[in-house]
Amino acid sequence: MLSRRAFLLSAIATSAATTLARAQDASPTVLRLERRNLEVNGKPASVFGIIQPDGTQGIVTKVGARFRVRVDNKIAVPSLIHWHGLTPPWQEDGVPGVSGPPIPAGGSADYDFPLRFGGTFWMHSHEGLQEQLLMAAPLIIHDQRDRRDQQEIVLMLADFSFTPPEQILAGLKKGGNMPGMGDAASGAGGTAGAKGASMSMAAAKPDLNDVTYDAFLANDRTLGDPEVVKVEPGGRVVLRIINSSSMSAFHIDLGELEGELTAVDGFAVAPVAGRRFPIAVAQRLDIRLAIPRGSAAYPVLALLEGENKQTGIILRPGNAPIARILDTAATASSALTLDLERRLRAVAPLEPRKADHRHTLRLTGNMAGYSWSLNDVVWTPETPPLPVAQGERVEILFVNQTPMPHPMHLHGHEFQVVEINEQKLSGAVRDTVLVPPGHRVLIAFDANNPGTWALHCHLLYHLATGMFTTLRYV
Ligand SMILES: [Cu+2]
C-alpha cells in the first residue's frame, strides 16, 4: 500500500503530467486568414494569406501526429479552409454548405484529426472566389520518405490578376475571355479579330486558359524578381511543387538538371526520371534533384500550358551568377497530356478487388453562358448526392465531353487511376486527376470515410459555375 505521502506525491505527479498533456493539447497550431500585400510587376497587390503568428505560411507537420489547428478568420468576410488531399472527418473538410458553415469574419474554427499519411498537400479557401486572391498555403506532412541529407524546397505556383475575381467571372459569363465562345466585348486580352480566329480553331484545338492573367507567381514572386534558394553544390534537393493556381496548368522545366519524380499528390510512385513534368491545377509533384558540383545557378521553371508565359525560382549553389530570365519564353508550350499519367505506377496501389459500383460522370458545359456541369446538371445544394455505401469499392468514370481539360478532385479519399481511355493500368494514387477533352479516365477508391464529400472540377470558375457534385454515405 502507498503511504499517504507517496500517494500525494504520485497524485501531484499524475496531475502535473495531466496538466502538461492538457497544456500541449490546448495549444493547436494557429492559422490566421489575413490580408497581405505583395508587389506584382512593380505594382502593389492586396491578396489573402493563411499564416501562423510567426509568419509561416501554412503548416509543416509529421505523419502520425494529430492535425490540431485553430483557424482565425481575420478578414472582413466569411471564409472556410479545405485541407486538400487529407482525409479528415467530413465535418472538418472545409467546404461551405457541404461540410459546414463558413467561419464568420472575426470568428474561428477548430480542427483535430489524425494524419494517416505523409506527403505534399495544401490548403485553400473553398469559399467563393477567395482562392483567386491567393487564400492558399502549403501543408507538408513529413514521413519516412524524408531524408535528413536532403534539402526540402517548396514551390507554390499561382496565377494572378489585378482584376477582382468577381469581375473575371462576370467577364467569362459574358463570353469575353473564352476563346471560341461568344463575343469579345469584355476581353481582357485580344481583339475581336483574334477572337474570331480562335473561334474557328476551337473545334480542332483544345480550349486552354479561359482567363488572361497579369502574372504567374512562384512563391509569390515573378521571374522579374524571383526567389533565389541557396543549395549545396553536390547536395540533394527535394522539390515539393504545389499548383495552387485557380485556372492554370504548367509544365515544370528543370532545364539542365534531370529530376526524379517520386510522388504525385503526396503519394509515392515508382520513380520517373525526366526534365519536364506536367502539373494540372491543384496537383503536386515531389521531384528529387542532385545538384552538380559546378558553379552554375539552376532555374526551376513552370511554363504555362499552351502559351509562352513562365514563372519559377532559381536554385543557387554557392555564389553562382544568376542570369535574368524573362517571364516570356521564346515559344509556346503544348497542352498537357496524359502521357506521364499513363506511365505512373503507384508504389502502394489499392488492394485488388472488384468494384461494387461504377458511376459515370460526363463532364459537360454550356459554353454560351459559361455554365459548367456534370451529367448536364449544374450543381445546386438541392442536387442529390451520388449514392455510395460504406465499405464499397467505388469506381468513377470521367468522360470529358467539352473542349476544355478538367482537373477532377475528390474530397476525403485518395483514389487510384485504373484506366485511361479504356486501357487498364495500376496508375498513381492521388486526389486530383486531369481529364483532357475527349478523354475517359476511370478512378477507383474505397468508401472508408463516411460523410458528405465534394467531387468537382478544380478550375475555380468551373467549380463556381456548377461543375461540382457530392457523394454521401453513412
Ligand atoms: Cu473544369
Side-chain angles (χ1 to χ4, degrees):
M1 232 176 105
L2 291 174
S3 71
R4 180 176 157 76
R5 186 181 146 75
F7 173 79
L8 275 177
L9 280 177
S10 131
I12 290 164
T14 309
S15 122
T18 313
T19 311
L20 186 62
R22 280 215 191 102
Q24 283 165 349
D25 275 351
S27 53
T29 303
V30 172
L31 291 173
R32 289 183 186 149
L33 313 186
E34 294 179 348
R35 274 274 171 193
R36 62 195 178 106
N37 297 309
L38 293 183
E39 196 182 278
V40 180
N41 300 341
K43 289 198 286 181
S46 173
V47 298
F48 293 129
I50 309 175
I51 302 166
Q52 294 186 33
D54 70 359
T56 306
Q57 290 201 38
I59 286 182
V60 179
T61 178
K62 61 175 192 290
V63 71
R66 291 191 74 82
F67 188 79
R68 303 199 64 252
V69 169
R70 166 163 297 173
V71 176
D72 286 338
N73 182 1
K74 303 282 191 193
I75 62 171
V77 292
S79 188
L80 199 62
I81 302 302
H82 167 57
W83 319 110
H84 187 115
L86 303 194
T87 56
W90 69 276
Q91 301 92 334
E92 298 184 49
D93 192 47
V95 183
V98 174
S99 1
I103 309 170
S108 65
D110 290 292
Y111 301 83
D112 187 359
F113 55 87
L115 294 169
R116 289 203 288 119
F117 44 74
T120 304
F121 299 91
W122 63 300
M123 58 182 79
H124 62 84
S125 172
H126 228 289
E127 170 69 30
L129 303 174
Q130 289 171 2
E131 188 189 86
Q132 181 72 85
L133 289 171
L134 312 187
M135 186 71 98
L139 200 175
I140 308 299
I141 307 170
H142 287 145
D143 65 15
Q144 77 293 342
R145 289 173 289 178
D146 295 305
R147 302 158 47 145
R148 280 187 183 281
D149 66 344
Q150 77 189 3
Q151 180 183 356
E152 177 173 293
I153 300 172
V154 174
L155 169 51
M156 186 96 169
L157 302 167
D159 42 23
F160 175 84
S161 177
F162 285 104
T163 307
E166 293 72 22
Q167 217 170 304
I168 294 175
L169 180 55
L172 290 168
K173 283 185 171 168
K174 276 195 266 172
N177 283 359
M178 292 195 73
M181 298 174 192
D183 72 84
S186 62
T191 62
K195 291 290 167 188
S198 62
M199 198 180 294
S200 59
M201 294 188 304
K205 268 176 64 173
D207 282 335
L208 308 169
N209 305 313
D210 289 3
V211 179
T212 305
Y213 284 99
D214 293 317
F216 296 92
L217 306 180
N219 294 344
D220 292 334
R221 294 159 78 159
T222 64
L223 283 171
D225 173 33
E227 183 179 39
V228 176
V229 184
K230 274 227 164 289
V231 295
E232 280 285 307
R236 293 171 165 281
V237 162
V238 60
L239 291 171
R240 295 182 179 271
I241 306 175
I242 302 168
N243 188 356
S244 76
S245 294
S246 292
M247 295 294 281
S248 307
F250 299 93
H251 301 270
I252 300 302
D253 180 357
L254 303 175
E256 287 170 41
L257 297 180
E258 181 164 274
E260 190 180 53
L261 176 69
T262 57
V264 294
D265 297 355
F267 290 91
V269 290
V272 176
R275 293 171 202 273
R276 245 173 120 123
F277 297 95
I279 184 165
V281 167
Q283 291 182 333
R284 286 87 64 208
L285 301 173
D286 287 16
I287 299 174
R288 283 201 187 133
L289 296 174
I291 305 297
R293 291 195 177 276
S295 55
Y298 299 97
V300 174
L301 299 180
L303 283 49
L304 179 65
E305 81 165 322
E307 308 229 6
N308 63 357
K309 308 278 178 52
Q310 59 189 8
T311 186
I313 59 172
I314 315 287
L315 308 184
R316 186 186 206 189
N319 289 315
I322 294 169
R324 172 81 194 267
I325 299 170
L326 298 177
D327 53 18
T328 308
T331 53
S333 76
S334 55
L336 261 60
T337 67
L338 293 183
D339 291 353
L340 176 66
E341 196 71 51
R342 280 191 190 88
R343 292 170 61 200
L344 296 179
R345 293 292 172 269
V347 166
L350 295 192
E351 73 179 65
R353 180 178 161 185
K354 206 173 168 311
D356 300 294
H357 266 109
R358 178 183 290 193
H359 296 283
T360 297
L361 282 183
R362 291 176 299 108
L363 316 184
T364 47
N366 177 352
M367 317 307 175
Y370 205 79
S371 100
W372 297 93
S373 48
L374 295 170
N375 291 341
D376 295 311
V377 176
V378 173
W379 190 79
T380 71
E382 284 70 49
T383 303
L386 291 178
V388 166
Q390 167 130 36
E392 281 185 342
R393 168 69 52 87
V394 181
E395 288 181 343
I396 296 179
L397 178 64
F398 298 115
V399 181
N400 187 349
Q401 300 184 332
T402 77
M404 289 207 72
H406 303 283
M408 299 303 296
H409 172 48
L410 172 63
H411 287 226
H413 306 74
E414 67 273 27
F415 60 73
Q416 190 180 12
V417 178
V418 293
E419 227 180 270
I420 295 175
N421 293 342
E422 291 170 349
Q423 216 169 50
K424 289 198 190 313
L425 66 156
S426 180
V429 170
R430 61 190 320 159
D431 56 57
T432 307
V433 70
L434 184 70
V435 188
H439 283 59
R440 303 160 68 90
V441 175
L442 181 68
I443 64 165
F445 67 94
D446 289 320
N448 54 13
N449 194 8
T452 305
W453 298 102
L455 168 60
H456 62 89
C457 172
H458 218 288
L459 299 183
L460 181 62
Y461 302 99
H462 294 193
L463 153 68
T465 57
M467 198 174 237
F468 182 98
T469 196
T470 59
L471 51 90
R472 179 186 294 162
Y473 60 102
V474 287

